[in-house]
Amino acid sequence: MSVRLTLVCVLVIICLISVSNLQAQPFSDKKLILKTVDYKLDLKIDYQNEKILGSCQLTVLNPSKQPINQIPLTLYRLLKVTSVKDEQGADLSFAQQVLSFEDWEQLQVNYVEVSLKTPIQQGERKTINIQYEGYLLGYSEVGMRYVKDSVDEEFTIIRPDCKAYPEVGYPSWRVTRAAGLQSFDYLVNVTVPESLVVANGGKLVDRVSKNGLVTYSYQNIKPAWRIDVAVAKYGILEDKANRLRVFHFQEDKEGARMVLDAMRKTMELFTDWFGPLRDYQGFAVIEIPEGFGSQADVTCIIQTRSAFKNKAQLYQLYHEISHLWNAEPLDPLPSRFESEGLAMFLQYLVQEKIEHKTDALGKGAQRLSESFRRECQKNPQCKDVPVIDYGKEMLTDLSYSKGMILFYVLYKLVGEDEFFKIIGTFYQKYNQTGATSDDFVNHAREVSSIDLTKFFDEWVYGNESSEYIINEIPIEEIVKKYRQ
Ligand SMILES: [Zn+2]
């Protein structure tokens, strides 16, 4: 080989090595191993420059046998990392680059790889400090229309949907999904002008004013999988006896009274039906503007204005509150029928009980049957995949529609008292350990006075139920199939 050719080869190799620094193998082939166990976030919101300045102390755990040398992070595309340090305050080297998700091209993130000086061994934790700053301009253009997040004195929201704080992750939707939800403790300190109020679903541990600025400190109440912080000129309504709080926009004080009242009634109803919540320490609702998308955390709902303006929208609240009575899913890719299907069913049942809405369940089931039929037309796989496999086949949206109908049939089959007994005793038995979908089925079969084998065979493990919905068999007819 000539000297020149050798030189070219060497140069090509050097180039390849530096390009592959950030991406040795496709992200979609990777597996997220590190678990986030603790998060401390310090945020300053600079309204003048429409920027956020963050400092986060992230603690991860390596549950695997394989030593880990790098921590991969994703962050909003306009947020830049300025430094990363280890626990001793020594600088760690890192690379960052704005990349598209491999399987969702429009979704761009700042992908950051932090190189560690010593690998994290099995069972070990590692804490790093990340300084970052920049802008939030939402993700509306990529199809997440509700993510309109920006820094604005009227309303600012910090949440994972806009990747407003660094999270362990790769730019791959498949890998993110497969990693499942994290479960961590957090402490957030947010500094804003004194005229504003910082809202979070956790416990307010401190509020310190200095030079026209105020810092709110919140700590999570239960292990969290996300951090949501909203900032506006909030008013706060409280029901101290029931430990309920509503953060509301000034002009919606009346609506906030209605929401607080509905929360209290719903909590009372579920407590009566399913028994007390384990370790209840309070619950909050935070009002957000229309179009920003409602969401539930373990101790908080961020709720769009609609439910504050219109009683008919309160079902969203019933739905989210019912999730408090869910056992944590233990399946690696949960079907979610026993959480989302049940929540859909209960949102209608509460409408009947509190609002005295006539046949809310029947009408709801009708609407969701139609939605299931539409999905089956669009994607024939929908009718063939049994409910138990919705998680594996990425069809968990169907747990909302078919899952609701499943619970409606069960309710009609066993009667209201036994239905409440099944759901309540399941929660009381598994709320500490978590449960799989199979645990739910087995528990219901044990508790029920009716033999539910055929019912679950057709609705959870088989797909005869899809035929019943597609052929528009009336609920009463379906129920008869399981009555001996
Ligand atoms: Zn839900």
Side-chain angles (χ1 to χ4, degrees):
M1 207 188 276
S2 77
V3 176
R4 230 176 111 189
L5 195 58
T6 315
L7 204 64
V8 168
C9 284
V10 167
L11 276 176
V12 165
I13 288 166
I14 289 173
C15 279
L16 282 175
I17 289 171
S18 55
V19 165
S20 66
N21 254 347
L22 260 172
Q23 195 180 1
Q25 99 191 77
F27 294 113
S28 299
D29 293 345
K30 291 181 186 260
K31 197 175 163 209
L32 266 187
I33 294 168
L34 292 172
K35 300 277 173 213
T36 301
V37 288
D38 194 79
Y39 210 113
K40 292 191 177 57
L41 182 61
D42 258 305
L43 269 185
K44 285 182 186 55
I45 304 184
D46 174 358
Y47 288 96
Q48 217 147 37
N49 297 304
E50 298 177 3
K51 274 178 92 169
I52 60 169
L53 297 107
S55 165
C56 74
Q57 187 183 309
L58 170 69
T59 305
V60 292
L61 166 82
N62 177 8
S64 76
K65 285 200 179 117
Q66 156 197 352
I68 293 176
N69 294 302
Q70 279 182 331
I71 302 181
L73 303 166
T74 57
L75 195 56
Y76 186 63
R77 62 187 159 89
L78 298 174
L79 293 173
K80 290 270 167 292
V81 172
T82 53
S83 89
V84 184
K85 293 187 191 306
D86 66 13
E87 281 144 310
Q88 286 74 40
D91 278 312
L92 292 174
S93 70
F94 64 94
Q96 61 184 329
Q97 188 183 344
V98 174
L99 293 176
S100 287
F101 262 47
E102 278 178 353
D103 42 4
W104 188 352
E105 233 176 287
Q106 298 133 304
L107 185 64
Q108 287 192 321
V109 291
N110 182 14
Y111 174 63
V112 187
E113 263 177 15
V114 178
S115 303
L116 300 169
K117 287 180 179 150
T118 48
I120 319 173
Q121 305 293 341
Q122 179 178 20
E124 242 177 43
R125 290 169 179 230
K126 183 88 192 169
T127 300
I128 57 170
N129 284 284
I130 307 155
Q131 306 289 322
Y132 71 100
E133 59 179 81
Y135 307 89
L136 292 176
L137 285 173
Y139 272 126
S140 298
E141 81 280 6
V142 312
M144 289 195 280
R145 237 177 300 160
Y146 73 99
V147 188
K148 306 167 194 286
D149 308 11
S150 69
V151 174
D152 186 330
E153 286 209 36
E154 285 287 304
F155 175 74
T156 300
I157 187 161
I158 304 296
R159 55 176 169 178
D161 309 65
C162 195
K163 307 197 177 295
Y165 54 85
E167 284 180 285
V168 175
Y170 292 114
S172 158
W173 185 238
R174 198 196 68 78
V175 174
T176 309
R177 236 187 138 269
L181 296 181
Q182 304 291 306
S183 175
F184 57 88
D185 288 323
Y186 68 72
L187 174 70
V188 277
N189 304 315
V190 183
T191 305
V192 295
E194 221 163 4
S195 57
L196 298 174
V197 173
V198 177
N200 170 265
K203 184 176 161 198
L204 181 66
V205 287
D206 213 356
R207 184 184 176 281
V208 181
S209 292
K210 202 178 163 189
N211 305 329
L213 296 175
V214 58
T215 302
Y216 284 78
S217 303
Y218 284 99
Q219 207 165 32
N220 66 303
I221 295 173
K222 286 187 170 186
W225 59 278
R226 54 184 290 139
I227 305 173
D228 292 287
V229 176
V231 187
K233 286 199 173 87
Y234 281 119
I236 303 172
L237 271 189
E238 258 184 295
D239 172 343
K240 288 220 164 93
N242 294 298
R243 283 184 278 187
L244 301 172
R245 250 179 323 156
V246 180
F247 293 90
H248 63 88
F249 297 135
Q250 299 292 345
E251 59 273 33
D252 291 333
K253 191 161 184 184
E254 265 319 295
R257 280 213 183 85
M258 181 178 80
V259 166
L260 190 64
D261 190 48
M263 282 164 81
R264 188 179 47 75
K265 283 185 183 154
T266 311
M267 299 283 292
E268 281 170 4
L269 216 49
F270 289 148
T271 306
D272 184 37
W273 293 347
F274 310 135
L277 282 172
R278 179 177 67 91
D279 198 20
Y280 174 70
Q281 293 184 52
F283 196 73
V285 170
I286 301 170
E287 183 178 10
I288 58 171
E290 209 49 73
F292 273 75
S294 300
Q295 240 143 14
D297 185 3
V298 278
T299 56
C300 166
I301 298 172
I302 55 172
Q303 174 65 55
T304 54
R305 218 175 159 197
S306 56
F308 287 73
K309 303 293 282 178
N310 181 358
K311 242 189 163 125
Q313 296 293 321
L314 285 172
Y315 68 88
Q316 302 177 42
L317 206 68
Y318 312 150
H319 175 114
E320 301 301 350
I321 291 177
S322 83
H323 281 313
L324 294 176
W325 273 265
N326 289 158
E328 195 198 323
L330 292 184
D331 296 297
L333 293 168
S335 148
R336 310 211 93 89
F337 82 88
E338 71 276 33
S339 53
E340 294 306 345
L342 181 63
M344 293 299 287
F345 171 82
L346 290 171
Q347 77 182 38
Y348 296 121
L349 185 62
V350 175
Q351 275 189 321
E352 288 189 2
K353 303 284 181 183
I354 293 184
E355 299 174 19
H356 308 290
K357 191 172 171 185
T358 321
D359 197 25
L361 278 170
K363 287 172 194 154
Q366 193 62 41
R367 218 173 8 254
L368 293 166
S369 299
E370 278 157 28
S371 137
F372 182 76
R373 286 192 284 271
R374 266 197 311 275
E375 289 307 313
C376 291
Q377 257 165 7
K378 269 194 268 171
N379 173 10
Q381 197 201 3
C382 291
K383 77 175 190 328
D384 298 326
V385 173
V387 168
I388 193 78
D389 292 333
Y390 281 174
K392 273 177 246 157
E393 300 295 331
M394 296 200 187
L395 290 171
T396 48
D397 277 359
L398 298 178
S399 281
Y400 291 78
S401 54
K402 193 180 186 180
M404 182 271 163
I405 303 162
L406 179 160
F407 280 104
Y408 189 36
V409 174
L410 180 65
Y411 173 81
K412 292 264 184 193
L413 178 63
V414 301
E416 187 169 274
D417 288 345
E418 197 169 291
F419 183 84
F420 292 161
K421 191 174 154 198
I422 291 172
I423 307 299
T425 53
F426 176 69
Y427 168 74
Q428 300 302 340
K429 183 171 175 188
Y430 288 104
N431 67 38
Q432 239 159 338
T433 55
T436 62
S437 293
D438 288 333
D439 289 333
F440 175 77
V441 168
N442 292 332
H443 180 81
R445 288 180 51 193
E446 263 169 48
V447 171
S448 177
S449 54
I450 294 178
D451 183 358
L452 296 176
T453 312
K454 186 177 174 209
F455 167 75
F456 284 121
D457 281 351
E458 296 194 346
W459 282 84
V460 174
Y461 301 108
N463 48 29
E464 293 86 349
S465 44
S466 298
E467 297 299 325
Y468 303 153
I469 302 173
I470 289 166
N471 296 327
E472 301 187 39
I473 311 282
I475 292 286
E476 294 300 342
E477 288 292 309
I478 299 175
V479 171
K480 269 190 213 154
K481 294 177 192 292
Y482 313 114
R483 275 203 189 116
Q484 288 88 23

